[in-house]
Amino acid sequence: MSPAQGSARPDSPAGAERRGASTRIEQTWIPVGDDRMVHGEEARGRVLEAPAAAGVLESPVNGRARAAVLVVGPLGRERVVSTAAIAVLSRELAGEGCLVLRLGLRGSGDSHDLPGDDVRSAWRADVRASVNELRRRAPGLAVHAVGLRLGAAVLLDACTAADEPAQEGAAAGDGPDARPLPELERVVLWEPQGGRAQLRRDQALRRVSVPRPTADEGAEVSGMLWSREQAECLRTLPDPRRGPLPSDRWSIREEEDREAAEMLWGVGSEFARVPRTAVHEIVELLTAADPLEPPLSTEAQRAVDMEPRASAALTVPDSSGAPQRVIETFVRVADGRPAVLSAAEDRPTGGGRRRRPETAVQLIAAASEPSDGPTGLWTSAARDLAGEGMTVLRAERPGCGILSDASLDTIPSPYDPATLRAVGSDAAWLTRRTGLPVTAVGLCVGSWLALRSAKRTVTRRVIAVNNVAWRPGTGYYDLLYAERDTWENAPRGFTESLAREAGGAQQRPTWSAGVRDVLRRRLRGLRGAVETHAPAPARHLLALLGISDAVSSMLVLPGGAREIDLILGAEDLAEFREARGDWGVRIARRLGRTVRVHDVPPLDHALLAASGRAEVRTMLRDMLVSDGRDGDRVAPTASGDAETTS
């Protein structure tokens, strides 16, 4: 039996109840087609065979609710940026006695890929399946909904557009959805955006914010590539603001403060903010008692079904193009955090059984972003590697993704001791689960976490993509994130909102604050001079003290991984060299570490360009899939860039 086909129950009982939280959170698959699946006790451990969307369920911890709410979020980078706000909205709704289902539309996050070019029909099916799922889990309760940005347009489209019946013989869930249109009680369309305007904005943002050429084919946006036909279909998705709503129980909410609105969905993820007032008002609207109905009370609550559908199957091509069956399972790691485990079905293929893999793989996201990584890239990479026979883990980190801290208005610093412990714990959990050493793969902060947390007895290898943090301590990064309003690319609205909260937005700076600013600028200049002229050994010492960056300080950590691959795009390679990367690699090799540096110019830092994303997927396959040669698992990259050693 494959590691992904174990018990559908979480691997650790340390759920929300054990942590004293007021809500319970479970990841679940939502069958979009006719899965012919039984429910309850008989369904435990059964693999879902239908096309599926990924969902997150949240309910009061006692498992009783007075209403159900579907939340349909946006796609692409807007989905990443708004993750924390949607998590807070869900937490507050559950706290008010609601069963909440956060839907990940197919083609995004952990959900299955879109089945073709008709994105509207696919997303209608996702929404309708989700409403049916809520009605099954919370029978007899009113079902409300919230749609954010493009999710608002998809929600309205699913509830108003009637599809033609599926052709005879078509696979359920792959063709048009002929089920009745869902009826919802109260609906909020939050900052709605039609398909044409969304695509136009996303394409323009991609061109100005990612320093790489766009793809020649299709319509490329940051972190996603639509086919030409998908883009044409997306453009037909109506703007909810330009047509009638189904009833007076549907409402559109657009924030008056446009800069504050963009902090919700339209900035870099490190500047995302939770709009508390908007969240409170949406929750009040959806949970308010109807004057024409009896008042809601504790007695009106009913038990709801929180049992997750844990495992789902999908077919992916391996490196030879042959179809391989992959099982993905929602699990909990040692401390109860949710995670996704991707693994090949353990069965003979072709001439015999698949060769046992040499390593399990741990994928670590950048910044404080969800576990699917750079806009879903880790999900795609996990399925690639699982199709080659590997077991791949991507886990949510503390305070990130669906575990976003509801008490914070901004994302926490990801350079955190608790996060380091969690990443190290995840590697140990994975090696216990598979009996294999671990290869940790990270992007940016994820790379730093992989290098810093690696224990030689568990993590054999680290593949660090675009790491720019070259000092092992966390103090400098804590200070950096505490002062992110001073960053060069900090949005004005972010800086002004922090100033207002501090009570100093309209006040003249004090004399002491002015002196501090001058000293800070002088110290930055002095540090820059020292970094430029200090010899490499002195730079190494400064890095250990948290004063400067030095590549050597991260490559020779005691007890760390003995095999390290650094994959660097053009800009990040320049920073690597400025941080004495040449010297650091030489020192690490003298101390017995195997260090390889890969110069891959197509990679933008956040892996938002389609060319760079394809390059990383190809490189991971080449580097991790054994080709039968002892000690040589590194093939040339897709673009032909040779491995370099600086």
Side-chain angles (χ1 to χ4, degrees), residues 356-361 389-391 434 436-440 460-461 624:
R356 177 175 169 80
E358 299 176 0
T359 183
V361 182
M390 295 181 163
T391 299
T434 62
L436 295 170
V438 169
T439 295
R460 181 182 70 184
R461 185 181 188 184
L624 290 169

Side-chain angles (χ1 to χ4, degrees), residues 73-157:
L75 277 80
R77 289 306 294 173
E78 291 191 359
R79 182 188 66 84
V80 174
V81 175
S82 63
T83 294
I86 288 178
V88 171
L89 173 65
S90 176
R91 204 75 31 89
E92 289 205 15
L93 285 165
E96 290 295 321
C98 297
L99 170 64
V100 185
L101 173 57
R102 308 179 222 165
L103 167 65
L105 294 167
R106 277 182 291 169
S108 69
D110 291 317
S111 295
H112 288 180
D113 290 340
L114 288 163
D117 296 325
D118 188 356
V119 298
R120 287 184 64 182
S121 289
W123 291 337
R124 287 176 200 153
D126 293 349
V127 171
R128 294 172 188 177
S130 299
V131 173
N132 290 339
E133 185 79 356
L134 278 174
R135 294 200 188 284
R136 181 185 70 80
R137 290 179 175 275
L141 296 182
V143 179
H144 310 302
V146 180
L148 175 61
R149 297 289 288 169
L150 191 68
V154 171
L155 180 59
L156 179 61
D157 191 48

Side-chain angles (χ1 to χ4, degrees), residues 79 105 145 161 278 320 395 450 533 551 581:
R79 182 188 66 84
L105 294 167
S320 70
H533 300 292
V551 170

Side-chain angles (χ1 to χ4, degrees), residues 500-516:
R500 283 195 299 273
E501 289 170 9
Q506 306 299 325
Q507 298 175 10
R508 178 174 298 179
T510 64
W511 176 83
S512 59
V515 171
R516 265 199 318 273

Side-chain angles (χ1 to χ4, degrees), residues 310-375:
S311 298
L314 66 158
T315 301
V316 301
D318 65 14
S319 51
S320 70
Q324 300 292 337
R325 181 177 158 90
V326 167
I327 310 297
E328 291 197 313
T329 305
F330 291 124
V331 297
R332 289 188 184 272
V333 290
D335 61 2
R337 283 175 293 108
V340 187
L341 199 68
S342 304
E345 185 177 44
D346 188 10
R347 65 178 183 180
T349 57
R353 294 182 68 85
R354 183 184 289 108
R355 178 184 298 178
R356 177 175 169 80
E358 299 176 0
T359 183
V361 182
Q362 175 188 19
L363 297 175
I364 309 167
S368 294
E369 297 184 357
S371 61
D372 61 273
T375 322

Side-chain angles (χ1 to χ4, degrees), residues 13-317:
E17 303 92 327
R18 294 290 184 91
R19 296 191 296 271
S22 60
T23 65
R24 176 183 170 189
I25 301 174
E26 296 285 358
Q27 291 177 286
T28 188
W29 293 108
I30 304 162
V32 178
D34 178 12
D35 66 316
R36 296 180 173 84
M37 183 174 179
V38 294
H39 307 299
E41 292 292 331
E42 296 181 49
R44 291 187 180 182
R46 189 184 187 281
V47 176
L48 178 63
E49 303 291 346
V56 179
L57 290 166
E58 188 159 7
S59 79
V61 74
N62 65 4
R64 300 183 64 83
R66 57 176 182 160
V69 182
L70 172 64
V71 179
V72 186
L75 277 80
R77 289 306 294 173
E78 291 191 359
R79 182 188 66 84
V80 174
V81 175
S82 63
T83 294
I86 288 178
V88 171
L89 173 65
S90 176
R91 204 75 31 89
E92 289 205 15
L93 285 165
E96 290 295 321
C98 297
L99 170 64
V100 185
L101 173 57
R102 308 179 222 165
L103 167 65
L105 294 167
R106 277 182 291 169
S108 69
D110 291 317
S111 295
H112 288 180
D113 290 340
L114 288 163
D117 296 325
D118 188 356
V119 298
R120 287 184 64 182
S121 289
W123 291 337
R124 287 176 200 153
D126 293 349
V127 171
R128 294 172 188 177
S130 299
V131 173
N132 290 339
E133 185 79 356
L134 278 174
R135 294 200 188 284
R136 181 185 70 80
R137 290 179 175 275
L141 296 182
V143 179
H144 310 302
V146 180
L148 175 61
R149 297 289 288 169
L150 191 68
V154 171
L155 180 59
L156 179 61
D157 191 48
C159 295
T160 56
D163 288 326
E164 295 295 327
Q167 295 181 356
E168 185 176 353
D174 291 338
D177 190 347
R179 285 176 289 186
L181 300 181
E183 294 183 3
L184 301 171
E185 293 294 323
R186 297 171 182 152
V187 180
V188 178
L189 305 179
W190 192 12
E191 290 286 311
Q193 183 81 296
R196 181 177 297 276
Q198 183 76 60
L199 186 60
R200 185 190 311 118
R201 179 190 182 278
D202 288 349
Q203 286 184 290
L205 187 62
R206 162 65 181 85
R207 287 192 295 269
V208 301
S209 63
V210 182
R212 297 293 185 277
T214 56
D216 294 332
E217 295 294 325
E220 183 179 346
V221 301
S222 295
M224 296 184 74
L225 178 62
W226 303 102
S227 71
R228 181 178 292 110
E229 293 76 15
Q230 286 176 334
E232 287 304 316
C233 184
L234 180 58
R235 289 187 180 97
T236 67
L237 187 62
D239 188 333
R241 297 168 297 183
R242 299 186 177 180
L245 298 179
S247 75
D248 59 3
R249 293 204 164 196
W250 286 60
S251 62
I252 289 177
R253 180 185 177 95
E254 294 187 274
E255 304 302 321
E256 294 183 5
D257 186 339
R258 298 314 302 163
E259 287 188 346
E262 292 214 0
M263 296 300 107
L264 166 64
W265 47 259
V267 295
S269 62
E270 64 271 24
F271 299 113
R273 302 223 63 195
V274 176
R276 294 282 174 182
T277 300
V279 167
H280 293 329
E281 291 177 356
I282 291 171
V283 171
E284 287 180 3
L285 177 62
L286 295 181
T287 59
D290 191 319
L292 300 180
E293 297 176 359
L296 294 172
S297 64
T298 303
E299 290 72 24
Q301 294 182 350
R302 301 185 183 183
V304 296
D305 179 4
M306 283 289 288
E307 184 68 25
R309 300 174 189 249
S311 298
L314 66 158
T315 301
V316 301

